Amino acid sequence: MKKRRYGLFGSFGNAMAFGKSSAKIYVKAQTGRTFADVAGQDEAKEALAEIVDFLHCPEKYADIGAKLPKGALLVGPPGTGKTLLAQAVAGEADVPFFSISGSEFVEMFVGVGAAKVRDLFRQAAEKAPCIVFIDEIDTIGKKRSGQSGSSDEREQTLNQLLTEMDGFDGNKGVVILAATNRPDSLDAALLRPGRFDRRIPVELPDLAGREAILRVHAKKVKLSGDIDFGAIARATAGASGAELANIINEAALRAVRSGRSSVEQSDFEESVEVVIAGYQRKNAVISPKEKELIAYHEIGHALVAAMQKDSAPVHKITIIPRTSGALGYTMQVDENERFLLSKEEALAKIAVLTGGRSAEELVFNTCTTGAANDIEKATKLARAMVTRYGMSERFDMTALETLNNRYLGGDTSLVCSAETAAMVDEEVRSIIKSAHEKALKILSDNREKLHELAQYLLDRETITGEEFTAILDKKAAIAV
Ligand code: ADP
Ligand code: MG
Ligand code: ZN
């Protein structure tokens, strides 16, 4: 049967050969990865452990009449270790690993992708038990449109994949893993029972997860003395595994640049900032006038944060420019991992964001473009409060926006009438305006501290949260 289908493609000549030869095979005794390489994804590992067990002895499952899912879909944001997990499953089970990326299926000629899929499954069947891994499956597995013409090639490839998945005997020991960060765009046919019916979430790591990931990667570098990985993990809320791996590597590079033979805590602290904001622009020339304005701007953020009870503590303030274009920034770090944001905290956050501009207005009686990023963030948060979090009086718990893809950037689309949209704009404006007024009030009430802290920051360029609090408390003591 399979032979004859090949015959049909004979007329494609080169295309066929091309399609066949580029089905990459990774047949290694081991992928070199095991679950020990994957940190902080305990639920995902647990779910995959069953697949590993199945690959070890499929008979156990066949004897009892149990069928394991043919495919499992790893779903989560980029850089969380989906590819790594798939490799680790192969490593743990000690079976061959066939991997192909969805984008490789997208070829010029109609039919080539489908031929590749056939090829891949034929090879996999020969090597069973084994793992077939399809990375970025969304590139071929998008919902079929129903219109003909536009995406013939992709649909053929997808159809072939569905056929192959139905065609092979699950008990043979071929397990198909796939990864995606756009699960909502996948064709329903892919997700139905018998295909990718097991879905394994691979989320961004929490505090403990981040620390574990940092430790796994830190094993590869030489460390000097005690490194406080907990502190680094706290400062990197929201970072993915890939970013954490990058932080370790940046720290090692920094140690080499400084002519040291091991990595210190300060290397890690600097590399966190490199990954967040880019490298320091040491030779950037900034006029003293602008430098002063930037210092006030940053202290404005920090002071508003410190004077509100619902704000995270200030961790560090710096006015050393970065390659990302940031001229300075204020880092706030929560003591504990946060999963929820209350309305009070959201409002406090918006006030902190307006604090930079408020300081410019208060001290220099002007405003600059330096607040552009703050404005963007404040507006985004205020809008989400109104349209998605049900935190406004006027709209109560009405959903006015939906999230398009929660793993990629979180774009939203409005789901309300034009009239309502206009009211939303008004609501957002009023939230920001009152936050701005609050920030202005805090700063003018604490004008002296604002001046003292800004001078201190101007002198040092970087100050820690402790220095900041010390100055704040000293002043308060005198005032009392
Ligand atoms: P994804 O496929 O989810 O986009 P990858 O698996 O390609 O992410 O991860 C990229 C790199 O990031 C990995 O090679 C690894 O070095 C690191 N990494 C990501 N997640 C983890 C994790 N949970 N534990 C250890 N390292 C991780
Ligand atoms: Mg990947
Ligand atoms: Zn700012």
Side-chain angles (χ1 to χ4, degrees), residues 214 218 221-229 232 236 243-276 278-280 282 316 322:
L214 287 167
V221 303
K222 259 198 211 130
L223 302 176
S224 78
D226 259 356
I227 302 290
D228 184 357
F229 287 106
I232 309 165
T236 46
E243 284 166 320
L244 294 169
N246 190 19
I247 283 172
I248 299 285
N249 191 49
E250 280 294 337
L253 289 174
R254 184 174 184 268
V256 174
R257 271 199 300 275
S258 331
R260 273 180 277 110
S261 58
S262 56
V263 187
E264 293 172 356
Q265 184 80 19
S266 66
D267 295 322
F268 287 111
E269 271 157 26
E270 173 58 23
S271 79
V272 169
E273 289 177 55
V274 167
V275 172
I276 293 173
Y279 288 97
Q280 294 187 354
K282 288 232 174 66
K316 182 173 184 171
R322 298 272 166 174

Side-chain angles (χ1 to χ4, degrees), residues 379-431:
T379 311
K380 220 173 173 173
L381 180 53
R383 178 165 281 277
M385 285 175 70
V386 177
T387 61
R388 285 170 39 218
Y389 305 150
M391 289 180 181
S392 72
E393 291 282 314
R394 181 181 258 163
F395 296 106
D396 201 55
M397 285 180 61
T398 320
L400 302 170
E401 261 179 3
T402 53
L403 208 52
N404 294 336
N405 186 324
R406 68 191 196 95
Y407 293 131
L408 299 172
D411 286 346
T412 53
S413 21
L414 271 179
V415 285
C416 58
S417 71
E419 289 78 26
T420 312
M423 286 193 277
V424 168
D425 293 337
E426 183 51 39
E427 196 74 19
V428 170
R429 198 191 62 82
S430 97
I431 289 178

Side-chain angles (χ1 to χ4, degrees), residues 67-73 161-163 165-168 187-199:
K67 276 206 194 90
L68 217 73
K70 284 182 184 172
L73 190 62
L161 178 64
L162 296 175
T163 314
M165 285 197 78
D166 291 342
F168 77 83
D187 198 288
L190 265 177
L191 304 173
R192 78 151 174 72
R195 290 168 184 160
F196 291 106
D197 49 3
R198 188 164 290 191
R199 192 173 163 136

Side-chain angles (χ1 to χ4, degrees), residues 166-234:
D166 291 342
F168 77 83
D169 178 3
N171 290 331
K172 268 221 193 112
V174 179
V175 171
I176 307 165
L177 297 177
T180 180
N181 39 36
R182 342 171 135 258
D184 25 61
S185 74
L186 289 182
D187 198 288
L190 265 177
L191 304 173
R192 78 151 174 72
R195 290 168 184 160
F196 291 106
D197 49 3
R198 188 164 290 191
R199 192 173 163 136
I200 302 176
V202 187
E203 298 288 346
L204 288 173
D206 58 10
L207 180 61
R210 289 197 299 277
E211 185 170 343
I213 293 172
L214 287 167
R215 285 183 189 282
V216 161
H217 286 275
K219 279 196 195 119
K220 295 168 201 157
V221 303
K222 259 198 211 130
L223 302 176
S224 78
D226 259 356
I227 302 290
D228 184 357
F229 287 106
I232 309 165
R234 269 197 300 281

Side-chain angles (χ1 to χ4, degrees), residues 33 35-41 45 74-87 133 135-136 179-181 202-203 205 209 212-214 216-217 220 240-246:
R33 311 268 203 181
F35 281 156
D37 293 314
V38 192
Q41 295 290 358
K45 282 199 257 184
L74 299 161
V75 178
T80 45
K82 298 182 292 298
T83 307
L84 184 63
L85 270 165
Q87 292 170 338
F133 178 54
D135 212 350
E136 292 160 46
T180 180
N181 39 36
V202 187
E203 298 288 346
I213 293 172
L214 287 167
V216 161
H217 286 275
K220 295 168 201 157
S240 68
E243 284 166 320
L244 294 169
N246 190 19

